[in-house]
Amino acid sequence: EGRLEPFDLRKVAEAIAVVRDAVRAGTLRSAHDVSDGGLAVALAECAMEANLGASVVLAPGLRPSALLFGETTGRVLVTFSAGERGPVESAAQAAGVPMEVIGRVEGERLEVRAGDGPPLLDEPVAELHRIWTSSIARANEEAAEVL
């Protein structure tokens, strides 16, 4: 909704360099860009790939659609063990790259909240996978019913 905010290509390159260096150093467990579908899609894809859930709490104040589906350039969702948090935060801070810890990988559900509000997303990872793998077949069935 509205105009896209301009982005600073230098800052995007710095964020990519921090992630690249953290991967090389072995401090990250995973990394996924947020530019295609937004945070909700990145979280769901990571959860389905690892077959692990997550509990995520986002800062309140933005529209839920912006929080979940905003495709801001240069954002990356990363995971790391608790013991690697210090090195990851230090690397981001040294490069001037903003970083926010938003949750934990845990359980079998993907739950996303804004602040202490009700869940914006709360689904079992197995159900997300079922929906994802059957969406084309369902769309074809629905289209056939219309014809």
Side-chain angles (χ1 to χ4, degrees), residues 23-95:
V23 167
R24 287 180 177 163
T27 56
L28 296 184
R29 293 215 174 151
S30 70
H32 193 299
D33 71 288
V34 180
S35 64
D36 188 12
L39 182 60
V41 172
L43 285 165
E45 288 176 349
C46 289
M48 289 184 295
E49 177 68 25
N51 198 30
L52 292 170
S55 178
V56 175
V57 179
L58 304 173
L62 289 176
R63 286 187 336 266
S65 60
L67 278 172
L68 295 175
F69 302 108
E71 295 180 331
T72 308
T73 303
R75 289 191 307 158
V76 181
L77 175 66
V78 299
T79 61
F80 46 86
S81 67
E84 297 295 351
R85 180 175 178 166
V88 172
E89 286 180 327
S90 294
Q93 185 177 20

Side-chain angles (χ1 to χ4, degrees), residues 56-60 111-120:
V56 175
V57 179
L58 304 173
E111 181 181 294
V112 180
R113 295 177 182 275
D116 59 358
L120 300 171

